[in-house]
């Protein structure tokens, strides 16, 4: 407990304590005193709703609801290399004591913890693929909303990384290879035919000269 919970100060005077006949406790400090019944001091049991309050793409505010498709997926382009989320736990007893934890499933292996001074998460140059951003939060007494809030994300790859482009490239290479192969076969065939024709012509000429001599 500290001044955010209603203490007169974070500092108390030594020996400045008293217990009344009714069991009420009094403690004095540099800014006055506090009194309470110990059995009435209980943790705040409220589980705070956690909401994503803002989404930015390339440092520009984007309406997350409109950017999310009907199937609940936030689709981003590979050029959206900077995205960020802001979030809040809706518990206002002492909001400065609320705690948070977030992670990007598909990227992070563990929760990243933060407090009210940094209620946002930034991500840069996420590789194309499927992700889920999750955030959970607690109230001022450390009671967590473990379900929290989440957003499913799909980052589409550039066209040269898509399966259809790779298939077209592979087909193109196969077609070019086949054309080159057939051209080589034709060249070899033509060389053989020319050589055969040349040999035949030489044979005829040789035979002609031989008969002429005779």
């Amino acid at each position: 407990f500290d001044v955010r919970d209603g203490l007169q100060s974070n500092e108390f005077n030594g020996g400045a304590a008293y217990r009344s006949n009714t069991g009420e406790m009094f403690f004095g400090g540099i800014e006055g005193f506090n009194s309470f019944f110990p059995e009435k001091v209980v943790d705040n049991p409220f589980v705070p709703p956690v909401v994503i309050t803002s989404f930015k793409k390339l440092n520009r505010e984007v309406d997350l609801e409109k950017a999310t498709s009907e199937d609940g997926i936030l689709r981003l382009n590979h050029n959206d290399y900077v995205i960020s989320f802001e979030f809040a736990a809706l518990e206002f007893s002492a909001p400065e004591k609320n705690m948070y934890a977030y992670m990007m499933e598909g990227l992070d292996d563990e929760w990243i913890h933060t407090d009210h001074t940094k209620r946002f998460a930034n991500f840069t140059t996420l590789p194309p693929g499927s992700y889920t951003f999750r955030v959970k939060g607690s109230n001022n007494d450390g009671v967590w909303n473990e379900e929290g809030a989440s957003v499913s994300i799909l980052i589409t790859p550039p066209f040269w990384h898509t399966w259809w482009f790779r298939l077209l490239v592979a087909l193109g290479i196969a077609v070019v290879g086949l054309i080159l192969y057939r051209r080589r076969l034709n060249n070899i065939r033509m060389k053989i035919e020319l050589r055969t024709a040349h040999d035949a012509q030489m044979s005829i000429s040789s035979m002609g000269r031989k008969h002429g001599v005779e």
Side-chain angles (χ1 to χ4, degrees):
F1 297 96
D2 55 33
V3 292
R4 294 173 297 181
D5 298 294
L7 299 185
Q8 51 79 36
S9 169
N10 288 333
E11 182 178 348
F12 286 84
N13 296 327
Y18 173 74
R19 181 178 183 276
S20 71
N21 292 334
T22 60
E24 187 174 7
M25 307 291 292
F26 294 84
F27 292 88
I30 60 176
E31 296 292 340
F33 69 91
N34 286 104
S35 65
F36 59 92
F37 291 92
E39 65 275 10
K40 293 184 178 181
V41 178
V42 296
D43 288 339
N44 179 2
F46 180 67
V47 178
V50 178
V51 295
I52 296 174
T53 58
S54 173
F55 169 64
K56 292 182 179 179
K57 181 173 64 176
L58 300 176
N59 296 320
R60 293 184 177 181
E61 189 81 21
V62 176
D63 188 320
L64 183 58
E65 185 175 352
K66 292 182 179 179
T68 303
S69 59
E70 293 182 359
D71 56 6
I73 298 177
L74 174 62
R75 286 176 167 80
L76 301 174
N77 190 279
H78 69 280
N79 290 326
D80 300 326
Y81 51 86
V82 179
I83 61 174
S84 62
F85 297 91
E86 292 185 14
F87 39 81
L90 304 183
E91 162 52 45
F92 307 106
S93 298
E96 65 276 10
K97 296 187 73 175
N98 296 346
M99 300 298 293
Y100 302 89
Y102 66 87
M103 71 183 304
M104 183 69 79
E105 289 185 352
L107 176 69
D108 301 319
D109 295 326
E110 298 180 352
W111 291 94
I112 300 170
H113 292 265
T114 185
D115 58 21
H116 78 285
T117 63
K118 188 183 177 184
R119 296 184 296 102
F120 59 87
N122 295 327
F123 301 94
T124 59
T125 59
L126 287 175
S130 298
Y131 303 88
T132 301
F133 174 72
R134 297 188 182 280
V135 58
K136 57 184 182 179
S138 77
N139 68 10
N140 58 303
D141 282 329
V143 177
W144 285 83
N145 180 335
E146 294 291 345
E147 181 178 357
S150 64
V151 178
S152 296
I153 303 170
L154 177 63
I155 299 180
T156 58
F159 73 89
W160 58 86
H161 283 176
T162 57
W163 66 268
W164 56 264
F165 180 80
R166 293 177 178 177
L167 178 60
L168 288 177
V169 170
L171 289 175
I173 293 174
V175 169
V176 171
L178 180 61
I179 292 173
L180 293 176
Y181 175 72
R182 288 185 174 180
R183 181 175 295 178
R184 179 172 175 79
L185 287 179
N186 289 334
N187 289 337
I188 294 174
R189 185 180 298 110
M190 289 179 63
K191 288 181 179 179
I192 292 174
E193 291 176 353
L194 289 172
R195 184 175 299 173
T196 301
H198 179 267
D199 291 345
Q201 183 66 35
M202 291 299 294
S203 177
I204 293 172
S205 298
S206 176
M207 291 177 64
R209 288 194 299 271
K210 183 177 179 180
H211 288 300
V213 172
E214 291 178 353

